C-alpha cells in the first residue's frame, strides 16, 4: 500500500472584514511543533513543522504526515486545519480553504520585511495580487525515479478530471467568473505551466527539469509548475494542479483517488502498457474545459477523446481506479463523497450559492470558514479530536518562549 500525504495552502483573512491579510512567519512557525498521538486516532501522528507561512505572508501551508489510509488522512487534514487556524488566531487572523481571494486585494499591500528584492520584483509590485491562490498538493510515494517518471507519463490524461473534482476558485478578486477554477490560470506566470510532455525516461525528465529551473534569461532559479512532477528527493510524485478544497472530505477523497490512480498506472507500466500519446495541446484544452466547468458541465473523456457530461467522465475515472480502491478498503467512502460532489457541487458551486443570496462577498468567505473547520460531517471525525488538538496548541503556547524581537 502506497503512503500518501497532502499539503494544503490556506488563505489568511481578517476575522471581521473577511479580506486577505498578511501574516508574520515567525508567529506561525511557533505553533508547528509536530503531531502527537491523540487517542483514539494515534495513526495521525509523527510529523514535524506542520504549519508554516508562505514566502510573502499571504498563505498558510499545512504539511501533513504520510498516511496509509483515507480515514487517517482525513484526520490529519482536520487536525492540520485546526492548528493552522489556531496559529492564525494568534495574529487576529483566520485560516480559510479558498482557492483564490474572493475580495479585491488592496494594491498597497507589499511584501513583509525581510523579503528579498529579487522575489518582490519577480512577483510584481503587489505580491498578494499575484500569489494569493491556494492549492491542494497531493504527494504519493514512488519506489524509484524511473517508476515516478513512467507514472507521470501515464496519469497526465486524467489530471484534468482531478482538477474538476477539486474546483474551488470561481470568484477572482471581487469578480464572479464563469470558471469553476480560476486559480488554474494564475499558474501561467511560471515557466512551462500545465501538462508535461511524455518524458520516456528518468534522464529526459531530469534534462527538462534542469532547463526549466534555470532558464537562460532568469536572474535566479525558479520552480517548475507542471501539473504533476517528482518531489526534489524523488521519493514522491506530487500532483500540483488541484485547488484546495473547502470541505476536508473532498480533499481527502481527491487525494485517495489520486493515490489509486498512481498505483494503477504503475501497474500498467510494469505490464508493458504504453502511455496514451496525447499532445500537450490536447491536454491543455482538457484542463481548460475542466477549469471552466468543474463537475457541472462537460469534460474531455480520455477514453473517447470527445466531450461528455462530467458525471460520465468521473465515472470512467472511478471505474479505472476501482480495483485499487477496493484493495485499500476505500471504495464506499470515495464513491459516497464523489456522488455528493456530483449532486451538490464542489467548492465552486458552494461559493456561488453563498453569493447568490445577497450578492455579498462576505457571505462567501463566512460560509467557507464554516466549511473549512466544521467537524460535524457525514464521514467526519468526532469534534473531540479538534478539542484535543486545540488543547495541545494551548499547552505549547503556555510553555513556548515568545520570539525574540
Amino acid at each position: 500500500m502506497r503512503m500518501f500525504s497532502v499539503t494544503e495552502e490556506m488563505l489568511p483573512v481578517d476575522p471581521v472584514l473577511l479580506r486577505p491579510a498578511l501574516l508574520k512567519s515567525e508567529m506561525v512557525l511557533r505553533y508547528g511543533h509536530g503531531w502527537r498521538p491523540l487517542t483514539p486516532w494515534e495513526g495521525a501522528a509523527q510529523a514535524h513543522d506542520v504549519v508554516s507561512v508562505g514566502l510573502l505572508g499571504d498563505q498558510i501551508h499545512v504539511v501533513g504526515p504520510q498516511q496509509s489510509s483515507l480515514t487517517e488522512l482525513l484526520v490529519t487534514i482536520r487536525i492540520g486545519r485546526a492548528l493552522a487556524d489556531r496559529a492564525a488566531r494568534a495574529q487576529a487572523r483566520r485560516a480559510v480553504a479558498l482557492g483564490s481571494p474572493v475580495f479585491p486585494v488592496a494594491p498597497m499591500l507589499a511584501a513583509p520585511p525581510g523579503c528579498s528584492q529579487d522575489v518582490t520584483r519577480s512577483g510584481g509590485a503587489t505580491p498578494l495580487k499575484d500569489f494569493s491562490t491556494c492549492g491542494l498538493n497531493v504527494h504519493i510515494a514512488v519506489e524509484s525515479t524511473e517508476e515516478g517518471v513512467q507514472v507521470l507519463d501515464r496519469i497526465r490524461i486524467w489530471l484534468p478530471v482531478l482538477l474538476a473534482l477539486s474546483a474551488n476558485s470561481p470568484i477572482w478578486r471581487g469578480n464572479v467568473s464563469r470558471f469553476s477554477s480560476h486559480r488554474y490560470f494564475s499558474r501561467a506566470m511560471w515557466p512551462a505551466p500545465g501538462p508535461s510532455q511524455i518524458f520516456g525516461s528518468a534522464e529526459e525528465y531530469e534534462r527538462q527539469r534542469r532547463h526549466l529551473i534555470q532558464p537562460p534569461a532568469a536572474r535566479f532559479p525558479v520552480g517548475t509548475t507542471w501539473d504533476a512532477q517528482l518531489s526534489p528527493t524523488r521519493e514522491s510524485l506530487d500532483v500540483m494542479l488541484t485547488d484546495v478544497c473547502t470541505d476536508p472530505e473532498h480533499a481527502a477523497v481527491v487525494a485517495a483517488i489520486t493515490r489509486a490512480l498512481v498505483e494503477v498506472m504503475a501497474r500498467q507500466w510494469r505490464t508493458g502498457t504504453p502511455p496514451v500519446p496525447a499532445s500537450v495541446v490536447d491536454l491543455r484544452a482538457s484542463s481548460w474545459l475542466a477549469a471552466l466547468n468543474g463537475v457541472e458541465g462537460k469534460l474531455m473523456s480520455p477514453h473517447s477523446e470527445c466531450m461528455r457530461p462530467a458525471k460520465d467522465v468521473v465515472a470512467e475515472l472511478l471505474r479505472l481506479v476501482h480495483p485499487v480502491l477496493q484493495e485499500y478498503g476505500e471504495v464506499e467512502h470515495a464513491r459516497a463523497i464523489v456522488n455528493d460532489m456530483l449532486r451538490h457541487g464542489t467548492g465552486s458551486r458552494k461559493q456561488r450559492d453563498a453569493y447568490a443570496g445577497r450578492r455579498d462577498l462576505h457571505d462567501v468567505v463566512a460560509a467557507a470558514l464554516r466549511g473549512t473547520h466544521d467537524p460535524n460531517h457525514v464521514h467526519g471525525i468526532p469534534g473531540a479530536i479538534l478539542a484535543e488538538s486545540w488543547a495541545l496548541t494551548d499547552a505549547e503556547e503556555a510553555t513556548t518562549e515568545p520570539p525574540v524581537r
Side-chain angles (χ1 to χ4, degrees):
M1 180 177 290
R2 292 180 187 270
M3 303 293 285
F4 68 142
S5 63
V6 298
T7 297
E8 291 194 297
E9 297 166 350
M10 314 285 284
L11 188 69
V13 297
D14 184 287
V16 177
L17 301 178
L18 299 178
R19 293 174 178 268
L22 293 175
L23 290 170
K24 296 178 181 179
S25 61
E26 67 272 14
M27 290 295 288
V28 174
L29 287 171
R30 64 181 291 205
Y31 293 105
H33 297 306
W35 299 86
R36 309 290 176 79
L38 298 174
T39 306
W41 304 95
E42 290 84 356
Q46 308 307 316
H48 300 282
D49 298 331
V50 296
V51 177
S52 64
V53 70
L55 178 65
L56 300 173
D58 61 335
Q59 287 181 338
I60 303 175
H61 297 170
V62 185
V63 183
Q66 286 195 331
Q67 299 296 340
S68 60
S69 75
L70 191 164
T71 301
E72 291 176 350
L73 185 72
L74 178 57
V75 171
T76 65
I77 289 173
R78 290 191 181 280
I79 297 175
R81 292 183 178 200
L83 292 173
D85 200 48
R86 183 65 180 87
R89 284 173 183 265
Q91 296 185 49
R93 302 286 187 262
R94 295 295 307 276
V96 60
L98 285 168
S100 61
V102 301
F103 280 100
V105 177
M108 70 286 295
L109 286 174
C115 181
S116 74
Q117 290 300 308
D118 280 341
V119 171
T120 303
R121 290 179 187 137
S122 71
T126 56
L128 269 179
K129 180 178 179 181
D130 291 331
F131 286 86
S132 295
T133 62
C134 298
L136 169 72
N137 299 331
V138 184
H139 316 289
I140 304 97
V142 292
E143 296 179 359
S144 64
T145 301
E146 186 64 28
E147 182 191 62
V149 171
Q150 295 298 332
V151 171
L152 285 174
D153 287 349
R154 288 161 174 79
I155 68 169
R156 54 203 287 272
I157 61 173
W158 291 102
L159 294 179
V161 188
L162 297 177
L163 172 63
L165 287 171
S166 72
N168 190 32
S169 51
I171 304 177
W172 187 258
R173 296 200 290 267
N175 298 311
V176 182
S177 75
R178 170 68 179 84
F179 289 90
S180 295
S181 175
H182 205 299
R183 168 187 168 270
Y184 184 76
F185 302 100
S186 71
R187 304 167 73 244
M189 63 177 292
W190 297 105
S196 59
Q197 300 175 359
I198 291 179
F199 300 109
S201 67
E203 291 75 20
E204 179 61 17
Y205 175 86
E206 295 296 344
R207 187 193 70 78
Q208 292 193 32
R209 186 192 67 85
R210 284 194 300 270
H211 183 73
L212 286 177
I213 65 174
Q214 189 62 72
R219 290 187 299 160
F220 54 89
V222 296
T224 58
T225 55
W226 287 318
D227 291 343
Q229 59 194 38
L230 298 183
S231 68
T233 63
R234 304 298 183 265
E235 294 177 349
S236 69
L237 184 154
D238 301 340
V239 173
M240 316 288 286
L241 84 165
T242 43
D243 286 359
V244 69
C245 302
T246 298
D247 190 320
E249 298 244 30
H250 290 190
V253 167
V254 168
I257 292 174
T258 304
R259 175 177 66 160
L261 182 62
V262 167
E263 178 61 26
V264 167
M265 295 308 169
R267 294 177 185 181
Q268 287 189 3
W269 166 58
R270 293 192 187 97
T271 58
T273 303
V276 175
S279 69
V280 170
V281 172
D282 288 340
L283 294 180
R284 285 187 184 277
S286 296
S287 296
W288 186 93
L289 195 62
L292 175 68
N293 293 330
V295 296
E296 299 185 51
K298 290 188 176 182
L299 299 175
M300 194 67 70
S301 167
H303 285 155
S304 64
E305 298 183 354
C306 63
M307 290 192 298
R308 300 185 61 196
K311 64 181 181 62
D312 295 339
V313 179
V314 171
E316 292 176 9
L317 175 59
L318 289 181
R319 283 194 296 271
L320 177 67
V321 300
H322 181 272
V324 174
L325 289 177
Q326 190 169 45
E327 287 179 27
Y328 293 171
E330 298 170 351
V331 169
E332 297 303 324
H333 192 165
R335 190 177 298 280
I337 298 302
V338 170
N339 286 339
D340 179 75
M341 292 180 185
L342 296 174
R343 187 178 303 111
H344 300 112
T346 63
S348 61
R349 162 70 74 82
K350 298 185 189 322
Q351 287 189 45
R352 289 192 175 104
D353 288 348
Y355 181 75
R358 301 190 304 165
R359 303 184 70 81
D360 188 336
L361 296 176
H362 294 86
D363 294 341
V364 177
V365 182
L369 268 172
R370 292 191 297 270
T372 299
H373 303 290
D374 179 15
N376 302 312
H377 202 40
V378 178
H379 297 284
I381 59 175
I385 190 171
L386 294 187
E388 289 192 61
S389 67
W390 282 85
L392 170 63
T393 52
D394 286 339
E396 288 176 343
E397 179 182 8
T399 58
T400 302
E401 293 295 327
V404 178
R405 298 293 181 187

